[in-house]
Amino acid sequence: MADDQALIRADGIAVDFGDRKILHDVGVAIAPGEIVTLIGPNGGGKTTLVRVLLGLLRPGSGRVRRRARLRIGYVPQRMHIEPTLPLSVSGFLALGRRAGRDAYRAALAEVGVAHLLDSPVQQVSGGEFQRVVLARALLREPALLVLDEPAQGVDIGGQRELYRLIAGLRERRGCAVLLVSHDLHLVMAATDRVLCINGHVCCTGEPATVTDHPEYRRLFGPIDREFAVYTHAHDHEHDVHGDVVETETGGA
Amino acid sequence: MDLFADPFVWRAPVAGIGVAVVAAPLGCFVVWRRMAYFGDTLSHAALLGVALGVVMGVEPMLGVLLAALTTGTVLVTLQRFSEFAVDTVLGILAHSTLALGVVVLSFFENLRVDLFSYLFGDILAVTPGDIGWILGGGAVVLMLLIALWRPLMALTVHPDLAQVEGIPVTVVRLAFILLLAIVVAVAMRLVGILLITSLLVIPPATARRFARTPASMALLAAGVAALGVTAGLGASLTWDSPAGPSMVVASALLFVAAVSMAPARA
C-alpha cells in the first residue's frame, strides 16, 4: 500500500513496560474502508498496539503517521460509569459531539438502541451500552472505527448481531474498521485482513469462510455468514518468555 | 436589631455561602472522579503553604495556593512513575505536608496560638479583605468551571475516549487541580484544613439522589451547601458552638435527611 493511501500507518513500533518487551518492530497500515482484525494471545500486545495507533501511548521507538484531520471513532473495551454521576444516554452522546436530540436518536437507531435515548447510563446493560458508545463514535462521522474486543462477554448470537452491524456500517458509511478480537480463530467474516499479534506480527492474511470448514460448522452450529475462520501460518514459535524460537524444519 | 449592625454577623454568612456555592459544584467532580482523598491531601498541604507564606513574608493565601498546586503536580507525577497505589501516595503527601507545616509554624512563637484556627477555621474572624478574596476567587473558579465543564465531564466519564476525541486531557486535569487549589486556599479560613473536604463532598452527595443531570446535581449541591452554611451559622450564634464545625454538622444532617427521604433506586 502506498503511503498516501493509508488512513493510518505505524512502522517499527516498539513498546517496553520496564523490562518487559510488549511490542517490537510492529508495522500496520489501514486503508480507507478496510476492515482489519487484530488477534493474538492475552498479553500479546493487541490493546497496546491499539493504544499506540490511537495516540494514547507513545511508543518507545517507531512512528505512527495519520492522514491529516483523520477522525477516529473509538469504542473502548469496557466502560464503567460512576453511579454518582446522573448521566443519561443523550447526555453521554453529547460529550462526544453536540448534535441535538434528532441526531442522537438517529445514531442510536443505526445501532439498534433508539429506545435508550433518555435512560440513565447506569441502567443500560453492558451489551447495549457498547452500542451506545458505538453511536457516540458514529456521531463523529469517523473515517476509522476502532473497537477493542467488542465481542467479549457477548454470546455467539450477540456476536453475530454485532458483526452484522459492523459490516453494515462499513457498507453504508465506507469507514475503515480496526477490530480487536478475543477469539484466536473465529473472526468477523467481513474482515479483509487479519493480523496475529504476539509481541510482533506473527502472521497476517485473509480469513476463510466458515462454510469451508465443516469442523467449525459442526462445533458452532448454524453460525452462518457473520463468522470466518482464520488459519494461522506461523513460521516460528514462542518460548515461555515470549521470545521467538525458529520452528524446526518440517515444523509443528 | 443591633446584632445585624455588627459586621461580624453578616460577613460570616457572605463568606460561608460564597465559598460553599463554589465548592459544591467543583465538589461534584471530586465525587464523580473519586478524588475526595485527593482534596483532603491538598487541604493538608495548605498548612505547609501557610508556613511558607510566613517564612517568605507573602500573603498566606498565596502560600497555600502554591503549596496546593505543588502537591497536586507532585501527585500527578508520582502517580505516573511509582508502583505505590494512589491512596498510599496521598497518605504520604497529606500527612507529611501537614506535619512539616506544623513543625515550621512552631518556630514562630506568635503563630503557634493560631494553629487551632488553621485546623478548624475561624469564619467569624473574616476580614473585608478575606471577603474580597472569596468573592473574587469564587467568581474566577465558577467561570473557569463553566468553561471547562464539557471537557472535564468527558474526561471524568472516560479519559481515553476523551483524548481520542481531541480533548487535551493533561491540560484539563491540571486546570481542575488548579481550581481545587484555589477553593482550598479560600476555604481554609472558614472551616479549617481538616474540614475543607466536607464542603466539597457532602453537598454533592446530598444532591445526588434528586438530580437527573450533572448540571442539576451541581446547582442542587450549591443550594444544599448554602443551606448547610446558613443553618450551621444560625446554630453557632444560638448555642455558641464553633462556627466551622457547626456548618459541617448541619451539612451532614442535611445529607442524612436526604438519604432517608429518597432511598437509593434499585
Side-chain angles (χ1 to χ4, degrees):
Chain A
M1 195 186 322
D3 271 8
D4 51 321
Q5 269 188 338
L7 291 175
I8 191 165
R9 168 185 288 274
D11 289 303
I13 300 297
V15 176
D16 299 338
F17 292 153
D19 295 336
R20 275 188 64 207
K21 281 185 171 181
I22 305 295
L23 293 174
H24 55 96
D25 199 26
V26 172
V28 57
I30 300 168
E34 187 184 25
I35 298 186
V36 175
T37 295
L38 295 182
I39 61 175
N42 287 329
K46 293 174 303 227
T47 294
T48 304
L49 178 58
V50 167
R51 291 178 63 80
V52 168
L53 290 171
L54 289 172
L56 293 172
L57 183 71
R58 191 176 300 170
S61 62
R63 56 182 291 189
V64 177
R65 271 167 296 176
R66 298 168 172 212
R67 180 180 279 189
R69 290 181 298 282
L70 172 66
R71 263 207 300 273
I72 297 179
Y74 175 41
V75 180
Q77 205 172 110
R78 268 177 297 267
M79 277 185 82
H80 164 80
I81 297 202
E82 273 296 304
T84 52
L85 182 61
L87 194 64
S88 66
V89 165
S90 61
F92 175 81
L93 294 177
L95 291 177
R97 196 185 131 223
R98 214 184 263 167
R101 283 179 68 81
D102 289 343
Y104 301 152
R105 196 179 286 112
L108 289 173
E110 191 170 356
V111 296
V113 288
H115 60 287
L116 295 177
L117 186 64
D118 292 313
S119 308
V121 284
Q122 289 89 357
Q123 287 174 21
V124 176
S125 75
E128 283 181 326
F129 191 63
Q130 192 161 48
R131 288 174 178 238
V132 171
V133 183
L134 182 55
R136 173 164 158 180
L138 293 177
L139 278 165
R140 292 168 47 77
E141 284 163 17
L144 171 63
L145 259 181
V146 177
L147 300 98
D148 196 352
E149 303 212 12
Q152 198 186 41
V154 179
D155 64 26
I156 198 109
Q159 283 183 42
R160 175 167 49 206
E161 287 296 312
L162 195 66
Y163 286 165
R164 189 176 294 160
L165 174 67
I166 295 168
L169 289 176
R170 194 262 300 258
E171 288 304 313
R172 274 196 306 280
R173 293 171 167 261
C175 57
V177 180
L178 176 65
L179 198 72
V180 177
S181 171
H182 68 297
D183 197 295
L184 275 175
H185 302 285
L186 212 53
V187 300
M188 188 169 111
T191 298
D192 297 306
R193 206 149 46 87
V194 176
L195 259 77
C196 174
I197 307 283
N198 186 11
H200 65 137
V201 179
C202 285
C203 64
T204 175
E206 288 172 23
T209 51
V210 169
T211 45
D212 295 345
H213 290 255
E215 197 59 11
Y216 278 93
R217 290 187 65 82
R218 189 180 60 76
L219 218 58
F220 295 101
I223 50 175
D224 63 31
R225 294 183 301 277
E226 270 67 38
F227 293 91
V229 172
Y230 179 67
T231 311
H232 294 256
H234 296 182
D235 58 0
H236 61 275
E237 289 171 355
H238 290 262
D239 64 17
V240 286
H241 306 294
D243 294 329
V244 172
V245 182
E246 293 303 326
T247 308
E248 309 263 324
T249 319
Chain B
M1 280 216 306
D2 257 8
L3 193 63
F4 288 94
D6 190 341
F8 293 103
V9 176
W10 63 261
R11 270 184 212 153
V14 167
I17 292 174
V19 168
V21 300
V22 174
L26 198 65
C28 287
F29 283 96
V30 172
V31 169
W32 296 330
R33 297 169 61 75
R34 298 193 175 205
M35 289 173 76
Y37 203 13
F38 179 82
D40 225 28
T41 303
L42 287 191
S43 42
H44 279 65
L47 195 70
L48 181 58
V50 171
L52 289 179
V54 171
V55 171
M56 300 188 302
V58 296
E59 177 75 30
M61 228 151 329
L62 284 180
V64 171
L65 202 56
L66 197 67
L69 278 179
T70 312
T71 312
T73 318
V74 166
L75 184 85
V76 170
T77 318
L78 275 184
Q79 221 175 310
R80 204 182 278 179
F81 298 108
S82 89
E83 72 274 31
F84 298 109
V86 182
D87 59 340
T88 305
V89 175
L90 286 172
I92 293 169
L93 277 177
H95 299 108
S96 51
T97 50
L98 178 66
L100 191 57
V102 173
V103 168
V104 174
L105 279 178
S106 73
F107 294 125
F108 296 85
E109 278 298 325
N110 51 331
L111 280 168
R112 214 180 287 179
V113 261
D114 277 345
L115 192 57
F116 189 83
S117 80
Y118 284 123
L119 293 181
F120 293 102
D122 193 359
I123 193 172
L124 299 178
V126 289
T127 63
D130 289 335
I131 293 201
W133 273 99
I134 288 167
L135 297 183
V140 168
V141 169
L142 275 187
M143 282 189 304
L144 283 174
L145 184 62
I146 290 168
L148 280 175
W149 184 272
R150 261 170 61 87
L152 192 54
M153 187 65 67
L155 178 67
T156 300
V157 168
H158 199 285
D160 284 351
L161 191 49
Q163 193 175 338
V164 170
E165 288 173 349
I167 286 166
V169 168
T170 310
V171 175
V172 176
R173 217 173 246 154
L174 285 174
F176 180 66
I177 291 174
L178 172 71
L179 295 188
L180 270 181
I182 297 175
V183 166
V184 164
V186 169
M188 186 189 62
R189 291 300 302 274
L190 307 188
V191 293
I193 58 174
L194 294 183
L195 296 177
I196 289 173
T197 310
S198 69
L199 292 183
L200 292 169
V201 168
I202 300 178
T206 309
R208 168 62 183 102
R209 289 184 186 172
F210 303 97
R212 302 293 299 274
T213 67
S216 69
M217 180 163 154
L219 288 175
L220 206 54
V224 168
L227 196 61
V229 165
T230 312
L233 283 175
S236 170
L237 275 180
T238 310
W239 294 300
D240 199 27
S241 53
S246 300
M247 286 165 19
V248 176
V249 171
S251 183
L253 288 175
L254 284 174
F255 170 73
V256 172
V259 172
S260 9
M261 264 168 60
R265 276 168 245 148

